[in-house]
Amino acid sequence: MRALKIAGAVVAAVIAIVALLLVIGIPSGFMTSTIQARVERETGYRLTLLGATRIGFWPSLNVTLNDIALQNPKDRNSSDDRLTVDRVEADVTLESLWSGHPHITELAIVRPVAHVPLLRQRNPQTSPSAKPAAPSGEDDANAPVIDHVTVTDGAIEFFNARDRVDDRIDGINANVVIGGDRKIRVAGSAHASEHPLKFEIKATMPAPPLARQNIPVDLVLDMPGVLQSPLSGRAEVRLNGSIVMINGLSGTIGDDAFNGWASADIASKPLVKLDLDFQRLDVAVSTAGAASPAQPSQPWSNAPIDLKGLNYVDAQIKVSAAALNVGEAQFAPAAIDATLAGGVLKANVSNLGAYGGQANGDLVVDVSAGEPTYTLRSDLVGVRALPLLKSAADFDKLDGKLQAKIAVRSSGASPRAIMSNLGGTVFANFADGAIRGLNVAQMIRSLTSGTLSGWQEAKEQTTDLTQLAASFRIEKGQATSTDLNLVGPLVRMTGTGTVDLAAKSLAFRVEPKLVMTTEGQGRAGDPVGLGIPVVIDGPWAEPRIYPDMAGILDHPEDAYAKLKQMGQGLFGTGGALNGLGGLGGNGPGGNGAGGNNGSSDPLGGQLGETLGNLLKQNLGRSRNLQPSDPASPAAPAPGDPAPQPSEDSAPMKDVLKQLFNR
């Protein structure tokens, strides 16, 4: 009886200890070697458990692993191809353990980080990093069944130590539900660079083995920073070794459909092949940082443009669209053929529909040697200039049919560096259009009263153009033109000068001419020049515009000849001011300042009156000089040409100063 009581007490004590252990869990370091051996046997990866491992038995078997590292044992660099996890928790039903077929009802993975090395060269004979799939049999039968997986605060780190590249996809949170009918649903979110994204994937998994079997997949992707509408698509995915093939790809972006196919070889450096056709493709453009269009009054940004990622993937891409919208720019139709290999991107665009015209061109971006280099060749024919310049450069002052040839090159890692290093040639011709917000004739008239600051913009004014053409030779961001030519119904202008693209400034010297009647260019006579060159210099958003006095005072005889010619055009052979129709009224040349006899003086009246008085004064003094006057030349003999005014016979510099320094 005594022995029975002792035995009962021992059993009770054992039961109490076992119950306590079932509730609080037991240290299970002795299981570490077993877990490691099983993982390496199943996957080919080495599992390192650096933290504590615990097992609880209530209410179900719960396994917790802390501080885990998973690595390919064939990698020499310990940081390559590595997965680290802060904590893994798994709930396993006890019945499944007895049957030998583990059933995991809940698997939680906390703060996993996948370290993915970025390779510059493809390795065609890369050995598989994981154990090849075994044929269906015992291994498949004993594979664990998982109902639910959660991933919390995960990340993927892409790195290349030699290039000092370290980029991440952060904030990965995913919820995976696996049904008994092999249907899988994955929903989650992440941050790629500055762009948030949400994704949802539905797939139906075939029976093992998965290799070379079609897997139906539905995908929903919302990436506001890149796509203007959510993408929804479906495809048949097939795995063939390291190659992922995506066939029968179709879907919509917003309300617009697309279809095509894709593949990716991920054995080493990824090789992506893509062929897609879109009904309409809308590509969002960032409005902040280096990607935003620079305002005319603001300097170019020094923010870096990071293109190093082009070194770590090869691609063959064909994209076509009935309509392509890049930010505010619109093209229809569009076809782009691009290849990316060894850090060199080559893109070709042919017969691109652009605002009523066509564009063809090639773009080469080379980031293989450190500092990116760019080469652009483009031809534009019959393109409506206003919407193109407005959408591409936020410039809305010029309209007309644009024909252009562009062949430029540059290098640099920021917008300012690219503009400073720009070189090449550009020819542009605008026909049958208008300069919006500017009245060139009125600006010329205003030069009689002082220097202009800025373009004298007014929304209601325009200057009609028959043609505006110029060719530029560009070196180190300096675009030089010697053939600027503006032709309009009531104004013409020629000029030369330089545009400093890096500093956003102008340095031009132009010679404007005005047509003196509303008959415009249909008259037999030529337009009348202002008589002096005009300088346009300073920031291109707010330049100074003023007469070039230095050149005129250095050559008074030439200036006098111009003034005399201008005076004849203004006053006629009789010397009286003609009733000039003109640039006033509501036409594109002016705003309707009234003149004599119902006509308007296109140069504002003051300049015409001053020119007339000075010319008459100067010519009169020449006639009144007598031969006996020491200051006068001898009278000409019959048949000799009339004496010409000179600095000695008339104070030309004083006359010109009186005229232009008023």
Side-chain angles (χ1 to χ4, degrees):
M1 191 70 178
R2 182 182 178 84
L4 184 59
K5 289 182 179 181
I6 294 174
V10 170
V11 171
V14 170
I15 292 174
I17 294 173
V18 170
L20 181 61
L21 292 176
L22 289 175
V23 173
I24 66 174
I26 58 175
S28 52
F30 64 91
M31 297 186 62
T32 298
S33 58
T34 303
I35 296 174
Q36 290 172 326
R38 178 65 183 269
V39 170
E40 186 165 355
R41 184 174 72 250
E42 295 291 338
T43 66
Y45 284 86
R46 179 182 297 127
L47 178 68
T48 303
L49 300 175
L50 303 176
T53 302
R54 301 183 65 86
I55 298 179
F57 291 94
W58 189 264
S60 61
L61 178 63
N62 177 270
V63 180
T64 302
L65 308 177
N66 292 281
D67 201 359
I68 303 169
L70 194 65
Q71 181 188 355
N72 185 351
K74 297 180 181 180
D75 290 334
R76 297 179 181 179
N77 192 331
S78 60
S79 63
D80 287 356
D81 207 7
R82 179 184 176 97
L83 173 68
T84 60
V85 184
D86 276 9
R87 186 174 74 254
V88 174
E89 296 182 14
D91 290 339
V92 186
T93 61
L94 294 175
E95 305 90 82
S96 66
L97 292 179
W98 313 139
S99 65
H101 303 286
H103 182 188
I104 301 174
T105 58
E106 195 78 26
L107 179 64
I109 305 173
V110 180
R111 286 185 291 277
V113 179
H115 304 265
V116 180
L118 298 174
L119 306 177
R120 278 182 172 264
Q121 301 295 330
R122 289 184 52 77
N123 184 358
Q125 297 181 348
T126 302
S127 300
S129 58
K131 182 180 178 180
S136 58
E138 183 179 354
D139 288 342
D140 295 330
N142 293 330
V145 176
I146 304 175
D147 292 341
H148 186 211
V149 180
T150 58
V151 177
T152 304
D153 197 18
I156 302 176
E157 181 184 52
F158 303 95
F159 69 95
N160 184 294
R162 191 192 72 172
D163 296 343
R164 298 181 180 179
V165 173
D166 189 353
D167 201 1
R168 294 168 64 92
I169 298 177
D170 288 310
I172 300 176
N173 295 286
N175 186 57
V176 184
V177 178
I178 305 172
D181 53 0
R182 297 183 179 272
K183 290 186 177 180
I184 299 176
R185 178 182 178 275
V186 183
S189 61
H191 278 82
S193 297
E194 300 178 354
H195 305 300
L197 63 90
K198 295 181 179 180
F199 57 89
E200 181 178 351
I201 302 172
K202 296 179 180 179
T204 302
M205 305 299 294
L210 299 180
R212 300 190 179 184
Q213 294 197 64
N214 287 336
I215 305 173
V217 175
D218 292 341
L219 169 67
V220 177
L221 177 64
D222 187 6
M223 200 170 183
V226 176
L227 299 175
Q228 295 185 354
S229 302
L231 180 150
S232 177
R234 61 179 52 192
E236 298 283 339
V237 178
R238 176 179 291 191
L239 305 178
N240 185 9
S242 62
I243 300 177
V244 181
M245 295 178 290
I246 305 174
N247 298 315
L249 178 59
S250 64
T252 59
I253 299 180
D255 297 328
D256 303 306
F258 68 89
N259 60 78
W261 62 269
S263 70
D265 186 348
I266 56 176
S268 56
K269 180 182 180 180
L271 171 60
V272 177
K273 297 181 180 181
L274 183 66
D275 191 334
L276 291 177
D277 178 65
F278 294 87
Q279 180 179 1
R280 186 179 73 179
L281 177 60
D282 295 328
V283 180
V285 175
S286 173
T287 58
S292 61
Q295 297 299 319
S297 59
Q298 299 297 321
W300 295 107
S301 172
N302 278 321
I305 302 174
D306 189 3
L307 299 175
K308 290 182 179 178
L310 297 178
N311 284 302
Y312 311 115
V313 62
D314 291 342
Q316 300 173 12
I317 299 174
K318 291 184 178 181
V319 175
S320 59
L324 172 64
N325 302 325
V326 182
E328 296 296 326
Q330 300 177 358
F331 307 97
I336 302 172
D337 194 344
T339 60
L340 174 60
V344 180
L345 172 65
K346 298 180 181 180
N348 173 264
V349 176
S350 59
N351 298 324
L352 176 69
Y355 301 103
Q358 283 191 338
N360 297 276
D362 299 289
L363 172 66
V364 178
V365 180
D366 187 348
V367 299
S368 61
E371 185 175 65
T373 62
Y374 314 87
T375 303
L376 173 65
R377 181 200 62 80
S378 180
D379 292 339
L380 305 178
V381 179
V383 176
R384 175 86 184 280
L386 179 63
L388 175 65
L389 296 176
K390 172 64 177 176
S391 60
D394 198 27
F395 182 77
D396 60 356
K397 302 303 180 187
L398 196 56
D399 198 5
K401 289 293 185 179
L402 170 62
Q403 180 175 346
K405 289 184 177 293
I406 303 170
V408 294
R409 63 193 181 279
S410 188
S411 62
S414 70
R416 180 175 295 181
I418 293 172
M419 300 308 295
S420 299
N421 296 325
L422 194 67
T425 59
V426 174
F427 168 79
N429 182 76
F430 300 85
D432 301 327
I435 301 175
R436 295 163 55 92
L438 300 180
N439 186 324
V440 175
Q442 182 176 331
M443 291 172 63
I444 296 172
R445 182 173 65 234
S446 300
L447 289 174
T448 64
S449 60
T451 298
L452 302 182
S453 178
W455 293 109
Q456 313 300 304
E457 298 176 75
K459 292 183 178 180
E460 68 279 2
Q461 296 183 347
T462 61
T463 298
D464 287 350
L465 291 179
T466 302
Q467 176 179 281
L468 172 59
S471 62
F472 293 89
R473 182 172 296 277
I474 309 172
E475 290 291 340
K476 294 295 183 181
Q478 304 291 316
T480 302
S481 175
T482 60
D483 59 359
L484 176 67
N485 185 32
L486 182 154
V487 179
L490 298 170
V491 62
R492 297 183 186 179
M493 185 182 299
T494 59
T496 63
T498 300
V499 181
D500 189 334
L501 299 172
K504 293 187 175 182
S505 64
L506 303 172
F508 269 80
R509 190 173 185 268
V510 299
E511 295 200 12
K513 294 184 178 182
L514 300 176
V515 177
M516 292 305 165
T517 79
T518 54
E519 296 177 19
Q521 297 178 73
R523 297 189 68 220
D526 291 332
V528 177
L530 178 61
I532 56 173
V534 173
V535 175
I536 304 173
D537 69 2
W540 65 35
E542 192 78 10
R544 292 191 310 146
I545 306 173
Y546 56 91
D548 184 9
M549 293 300 304
I552 290 180
L553 296 180
D554 289 341
H555 303 282
E557 291 86 355
D558 295 340
Y560 177 82
K562 290 183 179 181
L563 291 172
K564 183 178 179 181
Q565 178 186 6
M566 188 176 182
Q568 291 175 349
L570 289 172
F571 312 114
T573 57
L577 183 64
N578 290 335
L580 300 176
L583 305 180
N586 297 323
N591 293 328
N596 296 333
N597 301 324
S599 302
S600 63
D601 179 357
L603 296 179
Q606 294 180 351
L607 178 59
E609 182 181 356
T610 303
L611 280 171
N613 292 336
L614 290 174
L615 286 171
K616 291 177 181 179
Q617 174 186 357
N618 192 62
L619 294 174
R621 290 187 60 184
S622 299
R623 296 192 187 97
N624 294 331
L625 290 175
Q626 301 299 324
S628 59
D629 192 336
S632 65
D640 289 346
Q644 297 298 319
S646 66
E647 283 192 322
D648 293 335
S649 63
M652 283 299 302
K653 288 190 177 182
D654 295 338
V655 171
L656 292 171
K657 287 181 180 179
Q658 180 183 355
L659 171 61
F660 294 112
N661 291 336
R662 297 170 58 248

